[in-house]
Protein backbone atom coordinates (compact mmCIF):
# COMPACT_ATOMS: atom_id res chain seq x y z
CA UNK A 1 0.00 0.00 0.00
CA UNK A 2 1.03 3.59 -0.55
CA UNK A 3 -0.47 7.06 -0.23
CA UNK A 4 -1.79 8.22 -3.63
CA UNK A 5 -3.33 11.63 -2.96
CA UNK A 6 -4.97 13.93 -0.44
CA UNK A 7 -8.19 15.67 -1.47
CA UNK A 8 -9.01 19.23 -0.43
CA UNK A 9 -12.33 20.95 -1.20
CA UNK A 10 -11.66 24.49 -2.40
CA UNK A 11 -13.83 27.55 -2.95
CA UNK A 12 -12.06 28.85 -6.08
CA UNK A 13 -10.23 26.26 -8.17
CA UNK A 14 -8.03 28.67 -10.13
CA UNK A 15 -7.03 30.59 -6.98
CA UNK A 16 -5.95 27.31 -5.37
CA UNK A 17 -4.13 26.09 -8.49
CA UNK A 18 -2.27 29.41 -8.58
CA UNK A 19 -1.30 29.05 -4.91
CA UNK A 20 -0.02 25.49 -5.17
CA UNK A 21 1.85 26.15 -8.44
CA UNK A 22 3.11 29.73 -8.06
CA UNK A 23 3.63 29.87 -4.29
CA UNK A 24 4.36 26.22 -3.41
CA UNK A 25 6.17 25.26 -6.63
CA UNK A 26 3.98 22.27 -7.50
CA UNK A 27 3.10 21.25 -11.03
CA UNK A 28 -0.47 21.06 -12.31
CA UNK A 29 -0.55 17.42 -13.41
CA UNK A 30 -4.08 17.10 -14.80
CA UNK A 31 -7.61 18.48 -14.55
CA UNK A 32 -11.05 17.09 -15.19
CA UNK A 33 -14.47 18.64 -15.46
CA UNK A 34 -17.72 16.89 -14.59
CA UNK A 35 -20.40 19.49 -15.33
CA UNK A 36 -23.20 16.92 -15.18
CA UNK A 37 -22.35 16.20 -11.55
CA UNK A 38 -21.29 19.74 -10.66
CA UNK A 39 -17.60 19.44 -9.84
CA UNK A 40 -14.13 20.11 -11.24
CA UNK A 41 -10.84 18.49 -10.20
CA UNK A 42 -7.19 19.46 -10.38
CA UNK A 43 -4.28 17.21 -9.40
CA UNK A 44 -0.99 18.81 -8.38
CA UNK A 45 2.32 17.64 -6.99
CA UNK A 46 6.09 17.64 -7.16
CA UNK A 47 5.83 14.59 -9.40
CA UNK A 48 3.04 12.25 -10.40
CA UNK A 49 1.86 8.86 -9.23
CA UNK A 50 3.11 6.30 -8.68
CA UNK A 51 6.44 7.87 -7.66
CA UNK A 52 4.91 10.79 -5.73
CA UNK A 53 1.73 11.47 -3.80
CA UNK A 54 -0.50 14.21 -5.21
CA UNK A 55 -2.99 16.78 -3.95
CA UNK A 56 -6.46 16.62 -5.47
CA UNK A 57 -8.29 19.95 -5.41
CA UNK A 58 -12.05 19.51 -5.71
CA UNK A 59 -14.27 22.44 -6.60
CA UNK A 60 -17.98 21.73 -6.12
CA UNK A 61 -19.72 24.20 -8.44
CA UNK A 62 -21.40 27.02 -6.55
CA UNK A 63 -19.67 26.37 -3.20
CA UNK A 64 -17.25 29.15 -2.27
CA UNK A 65 -16.16 28.09 1.23
CA UNK A 66 -16.14 25.18 3.68
CA UNK A 67 -15.96 24.64 7.41
CA UNK A 68 -12.52 23.04 7.80
CA UNK A 69 -13.62 21.02 10.82
CA UNK A 70 -11.68 20.19 13.95
CA UNK A 71 -10.25 16.81 12.91
CA UNK A 72 -8.14 18.04 9.98
CA UNK A 73 -4.53 18.86 10.79
CA UNK A 74 -2.25 19.77 7.92
CA UNK A 75 -0.33 18.68 4.83
CA UNK A 76 3.43 18.21 5.38
CA UNK A 77 6.06 18.96 2.74
CA UNK A 78 9.76 18.22 3.10
CA UNK A 79 12.12 21.05 2.13
CA UNK A 80 15.92 21.25 2.23
CA UNK A 81 15.86 24.70 3.91
CA UNK A 82 12.69 25.90 5.69
CA UNK A 83 14.04 29.44 6.09
CA UNK A 84 14.75 29.85 2.37
CA UNK A 85 11.44 28.17 1.47
CA UNK A 86 9.53 30.66 3.65
CA UNK A 87 11.40 33.57 2.07
CA UNK A 88 10.39 32.30 -1.38
CA UNK A 89 6.77 31.67 -0.30
CA UNK A 90 6.50 35.11 1.32
CA UNK A 91 7.92 36.77 -1.83
CA UNK A 92 5.29 34.95 -3.91
CA UNK A 93 2.48 36.28 -1.68
CA UNK A 94 2.08 33.26 0.60
CA UNK A 95 0.93 33.56 4.22
CA UNK A 96 3.51 32.31 6.75
CA UNK A 97 1.60 31.55 9.95
CA UNK A 98 4.51 30.07 11.94
CA UNK A 99 7.98 31.30 11.13
CA UNK A 100 10.65 28.64 10.66
CA UNK A 101 12.37 27.35 13.76
CA UNK A 102 12.78 24.26 15.92
CA UNK A 103 9.65 22.34 16.85
CA UNK A 104 8.70 22.72 20.51
CA UNK A 105 10.64 20.20 22.54
CA UNK A 106 12.86 19.14 19.63
CA UNK A 107 15.41 20.23 17.06
CA UNK A 108 13.59 19.61 13.75
CA UNK A 109 13.06 22.92 11.94
CA UNK A 110 9.47 23.45 10.83
CA UNK A 111 7.26 26.28 9.58
CA UNK A 112 3.57 26.60 8.74
CA UNK A 113 1.80 28.39 5.94
CA UNK A 114 -1.91 28.73 5.19
CA UNK A 115 -3.37 28.26 1.72
CA UNK A 116 -6.15 30.52 0.31
CA UNK A 117 -8.89 28.25 1.70
CA UNK A 118 -7.41 28.16 5.21
CA UNK A 119 -5.70 24.75 4.99
CA UNK A 120 -2.45 24.48 6.95
CA UNK A 121 0.73 23.30 5.22
CA UNK A 122 3.73 22.34 7.36
CA UNK A 123 7.23 22.66 5.95
CA UNK A 124 9.68 20.21 7.52
CA UNK A 125 13.36 20.86 6.94
CA UNK A 126 15.09 17.68 5.77
CA UNK A 127 18.56 17.72 4.29
CA UNK A 128 17.82 14.65 2.17
CA UNK A 129 14.81 16.28 0.49
CA UNK A 130 15.45 16.27 -3.24
CA UNK A 131 13.48 19.09 -4.80
CA UNK A 132 12.94 19.82 -8.49
CA UNK A 133 14.52 23.04 -9.75
CA UNK A 134 11.17 24.89 -9.85
CA UNK A 135 9.95 23.83 -6.41
CA UNK A 136 10.48 25.32 -2.95
CA UNK A 137 14.24 24.77 -3.02
CA UNK A 138 15.93 28.12 -2.63
Amino acid sequence: MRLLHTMLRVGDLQRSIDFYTKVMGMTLLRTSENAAHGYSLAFLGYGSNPEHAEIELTYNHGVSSYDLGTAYGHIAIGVPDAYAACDKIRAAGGNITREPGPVKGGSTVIAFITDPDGYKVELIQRAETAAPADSLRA
Side-chain angles (χ1 to χ4, degrees), residues 13-130:
L13 188 59
Q14 189 58 55
R15 176 187 68 189
S16 293
I17 290 171
D18 288 347
F19 173 80
Y20 283 100
T21 58
K22 296 176 182 175
V23 176
M24 297 303 300
M26 292 183 184
T27 299
L28 177 60
L29 303 169
R30 64 190 175 284
T31 61
S32 67
E33 180 70 31
N34 194 322
H37 293 281
Y39 68 88
S40 305
L41 304 176
F43 289 84
L44 301 99
Y46 296 111
S48 58
N49 275 313
E51 294 83 19
H52 299 274
E54 301 169 349
I55 292 180
E56 172 190 344
L57 302 177
T58 299
Y59 172 65
N60 292 301
H61 300 175
V63 181
S64 62
S65 66
Y66 291 91
D67 176 8
L68 298 182
T70 58
Y72 175 78
H74 59 269
I75 298 165
I77 296 174
V79 297
D81 182 335
Y83 297 92
C86 284
D87 288 344
K88 187 173 181 178
I89 289 166
R90 188 178 290 107
N95 182 20
I96 309 298
T97 54
R98 187 222 191 253
E99 291 294 329
V103 65
K104 291 180 183 176
S107 61
T108 302
V109 175
I110 67 167
F112 275 90
I113 63 171
T114 303
D115 86 354
D117 288 281
Y119 294 110
K120 301 293 182 190
V121 179
E122 179 182 22
L123 304 179
I124 302 174
Q125 185 167 296
R126 292 189 170 180
E128 75 279 3
T129 302

